Every structure is written in C-alpha cells, then in structure tokens.
Amino acid sequence: MGSVSSEGLPESYQWFSDQIAGHHPSVIKNGKREIGLLKVPGSHEILKPKQDASRGEKEVALYKLLSSSSPVDATTSSSLLTTSSDGLRNGTRMEDVNRMKGLTAKFYGMETLFVDGEDREFLVLEDVTSDYTRPAILDLKMGQVTYDPLASAAKIEKETIKYPPQATMGLRILGYRIHQCNKEVEIRDKDWGKSFDETNIQIGLSEYFSARHADLKMVLQEALDKLQPFKEFFESQESFKFFASSLLFVYEADKTLPINLRIVMIDFSHAFESNGQRDEGYLFGIKNLEKYLNSLISET
C-alpha cells in the first residue's frame, strides 16, 4: 500500500502497508477514495475505520464487549448485536465472551482523526504483525455463508455467486503477504484466492505456509496446534454467529527466528447473537481447515 498517497492523512500516520483485504485507499468510489487501515510507523497498534451505520456499531459493540471487565459492562456493550434490530440482546454468555477474548486482537478504544477533509472514527487495535521481523500474513474468510440475516435479496445473490466453494468448504483464501529476505513482499490477492476450491485449496495453503521452505512441516504443525482453541471455542460457544469474518494468520518467515505463529479472529461488522445455537458454518470451516492442514502434514 506504500504506493498510495498519504496526502490527506494526519501527520505521522500512514496507510498500513500489510493490509490484505477490506476497504483500500487505492479504490475510488463516487469520487472519494476508500479509507483503509492506518498506522503510526513503529507503533504496535493499527487504526481500523469504523464502518457506516449498523455495521460499524456492531463491530464496536463486540470489541467493547470483549474488553469489558464485568457482567454489567458486558450487558451494556452487548446491546447492539441482535438480529431483530441494530443491536445484540442480553443472551450473551460471559463464558463465551471470556474465551473469545484470547482469540482476538486487543482493542484499545476509539479515536477520531481528520482524514481526507473530514472527521472519521477509528477502532484502535493491536497490530499482531508488529513483533515480527519478516511477517508472513494470511487472511481466511470463514463460514459457509458470507451474507448476514439482514441482507437484501440482491446482497444474498451477489454473495452466493461470488465464490460458490465457500458453501462447500466453509472458508476462502482472501490473500497473503510474505516479507522476503531481500525486503520484497510476495503478495497474493483475493482473485488468486478465488482460483482454489475443495479440489486444490491445499496448493494455496501450502504456498503460504512454505515461506520458511524446509520448515514447512513445523509451520503446519504449529498452525494446527494454534487452531485448536478456535475449534474448541466454536464447538461450545452459543452466543455469536459471524458472517464475513476472518481468521488472520501470521508467522515469522525469518528462519533464524522462532516460527511464533499466531491466529486471531478479525472483522466483526456482521456479528449477531446466536440465540443459544452454535455457529455451525464457522465450525464447519475450521474443521475443514484442520483436515487440509493434517493432509499437508502427512504429505510433507
């Protein structure tokens, strides 16, 4: 993202160069560029623009819920996630909230910045890539359905035809960024990700997890180990359903350093209360991902 002009940003802020998916400032809509992730170079935080209307309110509400310190705080924060309005009712289980806290990036609150001539709200989040010398980053969109319960017929049709294998795999590769030893960055985008389905997705996954070359099996095993808490969470949690949400993977591509693989859940603008039901679509995707990783390990 370094080629996109920083004009219009507050002093010391830059576009976050390792953004993989989402709104991107290189895209112009209705005469205005999209607002992507921001970062102060050298910091350990990124700023994510709050989306418009209920989508932005939902994501902020969920992060506030996860950062709440008591059931009272949680009840207040969860009032914006329900399927029947713009908010979440009080059916959230604190045990689910507490377990999910360890599966997401830290949330540090909200900040308003003057960007492209107007005040905009941003979520201040932990930059999970900041502690790596050469991060290898992967974005997987999870779940069998990427449109939420409030989607219009047009939105449902658009999402259904966008990538049909999403329904059969429960996941999709949105792209990756791997920092090379020569300071170049190997990039694959969402169009590349769409070239895979259940017959060949292991090729795409193997390409990403091979950044350390001969260490492929160790990287895969660490990914499989780190995936287990997410599988266990979705096997038991009955508070949330997520649509168009992702798992973000990052590990160290520098072979002289520990692999240090980490996974976090991201993107919660389509989070809904599940009314005592499991999120079967997300769990389906995790189980398939586990199957693909196990298969790659056995072949390595």
Side-chain angles (χ1 to χ4, degrees):
M1 199 180 291
S3 62
V4 181
S5 171
S6 294
E7 184 179 354
L9 299 184
E11 186 177 356
S12 76
Y13 284 88
Q14 297 179 1
W15 301 113
F16 179 54
S17 60
D18 277 324
Q19 179 176 339
I20 293 177
H23 295 284
H24 196 286
S26 64
V27 177
I28 307 299
K29 288 186 177 180
N30 300 320
K32 291 186 177 182
R33 64 179 173 183
E34 293 182 343
I35 304 300
L37 303 177
L38 296 180
K39 183 176 174 69
V40 174
S43 71
H44 293 277
E45 297 85 35
I46 56 173
L47 282 80
K48 179 179 182 180
K50 178 185 175 184
Q51 295 192 45
D52 296 333
S54 64
R55 294 177 300 168
E57 295 299 330
K58 287 178 185 297
E59 185 159 48
V60 172
L62 184 54
Y63 273 116
K64 286 184 176 180
L65 175 62
L66 294 175
S67 63
S68 62
S69 58
S70 70
V72 174
D73 292 340
T75 299
T76 302
S77 299
S78 68
S79 62
L80 286 172
L81 295 170
T82 183
T83 55
S84 60
S85 69
D86 286 340
L88 220 205
R89 289 186 295 270
N90 299 330
T92 307
R93 302 191 311 182
M94 282 308 298
E95 61 189 278
D96 293 338
V97 174
N98 290 331
R99 292 182 67 192
M100 188 176 167
K101 287 179 182 180
L103 307 179
T104 61
K106 293 182 178 65
F107 172 65
Y108 300 112
M110 303 295 295
E111 186 169 339
T112 300
L113 295 175
F114 193 68
V115 176
D116 283 357
E118 59 183 286
D119 285 330
R120 299 177 186 271
E121 287 187 278
F122 291 82
L123 292 79
V124 184
L125 300 168
E126 172 190 9
D127 175 8
V128 297
T129 73
S130 63
D131 290 332
Y132 295 83
T133 300
R134 287 172 42 207
I137 312 156
L138 171 73
D139 189 329
L140 295 180
K141 181 172 286 190
M142 303 300 295
Q144 291 176 277
V145 175
T146 56
Y147 54 86
D148 69 36
L150 302 181
S152 65
K155 177 67 172 178
I156 292 173
E157 181 181 9
K158 178 182 177 182
E159 288 297 314
T160 301
I161 65 176
K162 181 187 292 184
Y163 183 69
Q166 186 91 36
T168 55
M169 294 193 300
L171 61 100
R172 168 159 61 106
I173 301 176
L174 291 183
Y176 71 66
R177 295 179 62 90
I178 298 175
H179 288 251
Q180 307 285 353
C181 57
N182 58 4
K183 296 188 178 180
E184 296 294 319
V185 182
E186 184 178 355
I187 301 171
R188 297 290 184 270
D189 62 14
K190 62 183 179 181
D191 290 329
W192 172 83
K194 286 180 181 179
S195 69
F196 300 105
D197 58 24
E198 58 268 32
T199 68
N200 63 356
I201 190 171
Q202 289 164 305
I203 296 174
L205 293 173
S206 179
E207 185 174 316
Y208 164 71
F209 287 110
S210 296
R212 294 172 65 107
H213 305 294
D215 292 340
L216 172 58
K217 192 167 188 175
M218 288 191 295
V219 176
L220 288 168
Q221 187 59 59
E222 191 160 328
L224 193 60
D225 293 343
K226 295 293 178 66
L227 188 63
Q228 294 314 296
F230 294 85
K231 179 184 175 183
E232 293 168 4
F233 172 71
F234 278 95
E235 284 177 332
S236 64
Q237 76 91 12
E238 297 178 350
S239 295
F240 309 108
K241 282 193 177 180
F242 301 96
F243 303 90
S245 182
S246 287
L247 286 179
L248 189 75
F249 289 68
V250 59
Y251 68 92
E252 180 58 69
D254 186 336
K255 293 201 297 183
T256 67
L257 298 171
I259 296 168
N260 190 27
L261 189 143
R262 187 175 177 191
I263 309 172
V264 292
M265 294 176 63
I266 61 171
D267 297 337
F268 304 122
S269 59
H270 299 277
F272 286 77
E273 185 186 39
S274 66
N275 299 312
Q277 298 178 337
R278 299 195 311 184
D279 188 338
E280 298 291 352
Y282 205 121
L283 179 59
F284 179 77
I286 289 178
K287 287 182 176 180
N288 273 334
L289 178 57
E290 181 181 54
K291 179 181 68 176
Y292 299 141
L293 294 177
N294 271 315
S295 180
L296 285 171
I297 288 174
S298 66
E299 296 170 1
T300 302

